[in-house]
Amino acid sequence: MAPTPPPTFRKRRLGQALRRLREQRGLTQQQVADALGIQIDRISRAELGRTKIDIPLLRALLTEYDVADQGLRQTLEDMARNIGKRGWWHSYNSFLTLNFQDFLGLEGEAERTRTYQTLVPGRLQLEDYTRCLLEAGLGIVHPTREQLDSRVAVRLERQNRLHAHPYEVVLSESAVLDNHIGDPEVMRRQSAHLREQADRKEIELRILPRNRGPHLGLDGPFTLFDFPDGGRLVALEALLNSFYLEDEYSLATYASAFDQIRGLALDIDESKAFLERAAHAA
């Protein structure tokens, strides 16, 4: 028997939303299956993201869960209809791991993103900075020049598509001053670019000085996603993969960690002044 393919990000997000709504009503999967006259397997597979859920069943579930919010109902129906829709990154699939494709999908569906980073995040990188950074993995993470070029193209395309929702970034001082990516001119232009991006209405960019701490960010960078259906997710990025945490304890811990780090960082105007100095000093 062929192995069951992993759920796509849309199936997983929809399944998590349905599980959350069921649990809020205090219902078991068996109770829901009995009420709708269907097999429990249809409920469990839908919540695990292992099957495509049809619209009539989705509507029946939402009615069973007393979901009166029409906006939420429409959001979940749209998600169900778009289950099989190809992402914009489809043409690069042969060069991207399934895990990274999943991350791109989650990133695109989020209505709010908060992140602490010790490197300039991909969404705020200039092409030269990105290329210099990824060059370190040529022959290791990126076996060929063609694959590296594709990763650069994907990173730039992400920037063109992710300007609609709030993006809160706390960036360590070392990311701007100490991590030398490329020559001084690349660093100068990257700092100037960060300063420009800090003026975008959807971006809140703060710098965390190295002399403010200790803090929980010392354990490593992380990203929090909030979704229109009420779902939340923590993403931890490693060299080859991204890892996701979805339990309530992890979500609360990382949200508190971000609040702590944000509270220690420079305010918006101080961060802009910092970036201006960095752009002129590099």
Side-chain angles (χ1 to χ4, degrees), residues 239-269:
L239 182 62
L240 293 177
N241 283 311
S242 296
F243 303 91
Y244 305 113
L245 303 174
E246 301 170 86
D247 62 283
E248 289 301 320
Y249 176 77
S250 296
L251 292 169
T253 299
Y254 276 94
S256 295
F258 184 82
D259 289 341
Q260 178 198 74
I261 295 165
R262 184 179 182 275
L264 292 171
L266 301 175
D267 66 26
I268 299 297
D269 291 336

Side-chain angles (χ1 to χ4, degrees), residues 54-105:
D54 59 74
I55 299 301
L57 176 56
L58 174 61
R59 289 174 176 170
L61 288 171
L62 297 181
T63 298
E64 185 67 22
Y65 301 152
D66 291 335
V67 177
D69 184 334
Q70 293 302 313
L72 176 57
R73 294 180 74 103
Q74 189 61 55
T75 293
L76 296 177
E77 285 194 23
D78 290 343
M79 196 183 303
R81 290 190 177 93
N82 292 327
I83 286 291
K85 183 179 179 180
R86 290 180 174 180
W88 60 263
W89 57 88
H90 178 75
S91 60
Y92 301 100
N93 278 3
S94 60
F95 300 111
L96 303 177
T97 65
L98 288 175
N99 200 277
F100 186 59
Q101 292 177 46
D102 218 22
F103 181 86
L104 293 174

Side-chain angles (χ1 to χ4, degrees), residues 54-217:
D54 59 74
I55 299 301
L57 176 56
L58 174 61
R59 289 174 176 170
L61 288 171
L62 297 181
T63 298
E64 185 67 22
Y65 301 152
D66 291 335
V67 177
D69 184 334
Q70 293 302 313
L72 176 57
R73 294 180 74 103
Q74 189 61 55
T75 293
L76 296 177
E77 285 194 23
D78 290 343
M79 196 183 303
R81 290 190 177 93
N82 292 327
I83 286 291
K85 183 179 179 180
R86 290 180 174 180
W88 60 263
W89 57 88
H90 178 75
S91 60
Y92 301 100
N93 278 3
S94 60
F95 300 111
L96 303 177
T97 65
L98 288 175
N99 200 277
F100 186 59
Q101 292 177 46
D102 218 22
F103 181 86
L104 293 174
L106 293 166
E107 180 181 62
E109 296 237 327
E111 67 175 1
R112 179 192 183 199
T113 302
R114 292 166 288 167
T115 187
Y116 168 70
Q117 295 292 328
T118 55
L119 279 173
V120 174
R123 288 172 63 171
L124 300 177
Q125 293 175 8
L126 285 175
E127 181 175 357
D128 287 347
Y129 183 99
T130 296
R131 189 169 295 280
C132 289
L133 181 62
L134 296 184
E135 285 277 359
L138 184 59
I140 304 173
V141 180
H142 321 294
T144 68
R145 173 67 61 178
E146 183 182 10
Q147 291 182 354
L148 187 147
D149 290 342
S150 292
R151 288 300 293 265
V152 172
V154 167
R155 189 160 296 185
L156 296 177
E157 184 65 18
R158 285 169 68 193
Q159 297 176 11
N160 294 331
R161 294 176 178 270
L162 296 171
H163 290 308
H165 302 300
Y167 185 46
E168 302 173 36
V169 183
V170 178
L171 190 59
S172 69
E173 178 180 342
S174 62
V176 181
L177 298 183
D178 299 336
N179 297 323
H180 295 285
I181 310 298
D183 59 30
E185 176 60 17
V186 170
M187 292 297 294
R188 185 198 69 76
R189 290 192 293 105
Q190 180 61 65
S191 294
H193 180 66
L194 287 172
R195 173 61 186 87
E196 293 173 1
Q197 294 299 297
D199 280 335
R200 298 185 68 97
K201 64 179 181 180
E202 74 276 11
I203 294 177
E204 179 185 288
L205 176 58
R206 296 173 185 265
I207 301 297
L208 178 63
R210 61 170 65 89
N211 63 356
R212 297 191 180 183
H215 55 80
L216 292 174

